[in-house]
Amino acid sequence: MLSSSVAHPSVNDLKRLIVERRITYPASLQQAMRLLLGNPGVIAFGTLRSVAQTCNVSETTIARLASHSGYSSFKEMQGAFRQHLVLIATPHDPPFEQQRPL
């Protein structure tokens, strides 16, 4: 379970914590988290029921996954994944019209 010193991690924070082995998951939660990290749209745009079905686990397991990952609820974890999709979809360079001429 995630330490209380890190509240509401971003998806990038979550990935880092997993890589650093500061958060580990039991087998069923690990399977679901792998799927969600590989396919963030599943949780970003899904319901608790559809996410559970896609991960082939119960709704309770997805709720436990959220809690185990440092979120207060499925909705909070879903919000983090939505924000992640916004961040990776947002261009980091200014639009062409705003660029200065050479």
Side-chain angles (χ1 to χ4, degrees):
M1 183 173 261
L2 186 60
S3 165
S4 61
S5 65
V6 179
H8 320 300
S10 69
V11 172
N12 286 332
D13 290 338
L14 196 54
K15 288 178 181 180
R16 182 181 43 78
L17 291 167
I18 292 168
V19 167
E20 294 173 355
R21 297 187 185 272
R22 291 176 49 201
I23 184 172
T24 57
Y25 296 96
S28 63
L29 298 184
Q30 182 179 28
Q31 169 193 335
M33 184 54 80
R34 282 179 188 259
L35 190 147
L36 297 177
L37 289 173
N39 303 286
V42 168
I43 186 170
F45 304 113
T47 62
L48 178 58
R49 176 173 287 170
S50 69
V51 171
Q53 288 173 342
T54 299
C55 293
N56 202 28
V57 297
S58 70
E59 293 175 34
T60 302
T61 298
I62 297 300
R64 281 193 350 255
L65 176 65
S67 176
H68 191 85
S69 300
Y71 301 100
S72 62
S73 66
F74 167 78
K75 288 289 187 188
E76 187 174 77
M77 184 168 73
Q78 183 180 50
F81 276 79
R82 286 179 176 170
Q83 183 63 34
H84 176 70
L85 288 180
V86 168
L87 289 173
I88 63 175
T90 304
H92 297 286
D93 293 327
F96 181 74
E97 298 82 28
Q98 294 179 359
Q99 293 181 1
R100 292 189 281 188
L102 298 174

